[in-house]
Amino acid sequence: GDALLELLVHHYHLSRAGIFRCQGSVEEAELVASTGCMEALAADDPLVQFALLKGSMVHINARDLESVEKSRYLVVMPMLDHDDVLIGIFVVEDMLFSMLHEENLTSMQVIISYFVADIDLLCESGAIINAFPSCPRPFADELVRLHRVVVHGGAPSRLIVFAGNDDAFPVLQGIKSIQRGLDFSWFVSMGYRHALIVLLPLADEETVKGYLYRVEQWLKEQHGVSMEQAGVTVRFALLGESAPETYLHYLFRQGGLT
């Protein structure tokens, strides 16, 4: 919160402003970053209530505020997570009036939205990394993004695990080296068991078949063997509405990593 507020203060000449942490509502909002002398959030302030109603940034110069009573604040922006749950609220009590125009406010909203999305993503991908400490952050972040696409009715994505013992290690490393630019991979070793977990974004069954065919062809060209002959097992998981780490637990079991 401090870094975000410092950026906003510098660019938009804010004299009194604050970011409050919320847990679904503005009741008992906690001040986590501020500049100037900020008091507790006025939860019943007309501009705060109007911003919550709209679910977006509002300011005193907005045309649709004619019916709103006088407010303590100049600008209010709710901070919502990917499920539109209120996790914070940004308010400005005083700023250079010449900076209070539509172009600045639009860019301010973009900066805050980007920050909130990043924090929201880090919280959810953090749960994956807590369960699997060796999971790379980019892999966890992309898994969360693609899981959200599925939950909101978008195209499916798939996870594939290639697993084997020590003898299959060079082959698994080779498969990792031929990944498409779109894919995310994570190589795991636990004792004598090794696995390559691949995340295929927005992949239907035909995409998966094409991907596996390319891997099989590479194996035949480079090693003269099939997947089975190389001692590599392959298992799949289709992302659904369960928590993202659920599918990783399943693949770890299928790959003999537990």
Side-chain angles (χ1 to χ4, degrees):
D2 288 332
L4 172 62
L5 190 62
E6 184 178 344
L7 177 67
L8 297 174
V9 167
H10 175 74
H11 280 284
Y12 303 106
H13 301 278
L14 310 181
S15 303
R16 287 201 311 278
I19 296 173
F20 293 83
R21 181 187 293 120
C22 303
Q23 295 183 337
S25 74
V26 290
E27 304 303 324
E28 300 182 3
E30 176 190 358
L31 184 65
V32 293
S34 65
T35 186
C37 186
M38 288 293 297
E39 300 178 4
L41 181 72
D44 58 352
D45 183 275
L47 200 62
V48 170
Q49 291 299 314
F50 190 62
L52 293 173
L53 182 64
K54 288 192 65 176
S56 62
M57 177 183 282
V58 296
H59 56 91
I60 58 164
N61 288 345
R63 295 178 181 177
D64 50 359
L65 283 178
E66 294 176 357
S67 60
V68 175
E69 299 175 19
K70 187 174 180 181
S71 169
R72 178 199 295 181
Y73 305 113
L74 302 178
V75 180
V76 177
M77 180 175 171
M79 305 166 85
L80 308 172
D81 69 7
H82 65 284
D83 287 324
D84 288 334
V85 174
L86 186 72
I87 60 173
I89 192 163
F90 167 71
V91 297
V92 178
E93 283 194 23
D94 190 29
M95 65 183 289
L96 196 62
F97 197 77
S98 61
M99 301 294 287
L100 189 63
H101 57 77
E102 202 66 39
E103 183 179 342
N104 272 350
L105 293 168
T106 299
S107 63
M108 188 187 298
Q109 184 170 7
V110 169
I111 291 171
I112 296 171
S113 297
Y114 182 85
F115 173 84
V116 172
D118 197 42
I119 292 297
D120 184 36
L121 180 67
L122 287 174
C123 288
E124 200 164 343
S125 62
I128 296 173
I129 293 173
N130 283 339
F132 301 93
S134 68
C135 181
R137 173 68 70 175
F139 186 99
D141 287 348
E142 190 64 15
L143 180 56
V144 169
R145 291 189 189 98
L146 294 172
H147 177 258
R148 289 176 181 176
V149 170
V150 173
V151 169
H152 288 92
S157 294
R158 285 168 167 79
L159 285 159
I160 301 178
V161 62
F162 300 92
N165 295 332
D166 288 336
D167 290 343
F169 184 87
V171 170
L172 294 172
Q173 288 282 13
I175 296 173
K176 185 177 188 299
S177 72
I178 62 167
Q179 296 307 304
R180 306 178 307 169
L182 295 171
D183 305 329
F184 288 76
S185 63
W186 168 25
F187 200 93
V188 184
S189 291
M190 296 184 72
Y192 67 91
R193 290 294 290 176
H194 311 281
L196 175 67
I197 301 175
V198 181
L199 176 58
L200 300 180
L202 311 179
D204 57 18
E205 289 186 11
E206 290 303 312
T207 302
V208 174
K209 287 179 182 177
Y211 170 78
L212 289 177
Y213 176 79
R214 188 163 62 88
V215 172
E216 287 277 11
Q217 288 301 110
W218 176 84
L219 266 175
K220 288 177 182 177
E221 292 171 5
Q222 297 295 317
H223 298 274
V225 295
S226 66
M227 203 89 71
E228 184 178 356
Q229 290 168 335
V232 175
T233 59
V234 185
R235 296 291 185 271
F236 310 89
L238 175 66
L239 293 186
E241 295 191 2
S242 300
E245 53 269 30
T246 302
Y247 305 99
L248 294 177
H249 281 297
Y250 168 76
L251 291 178
F252 263 59
R253 289 195 302 271
Q254 293 296 308
L257 295 168
T258 57

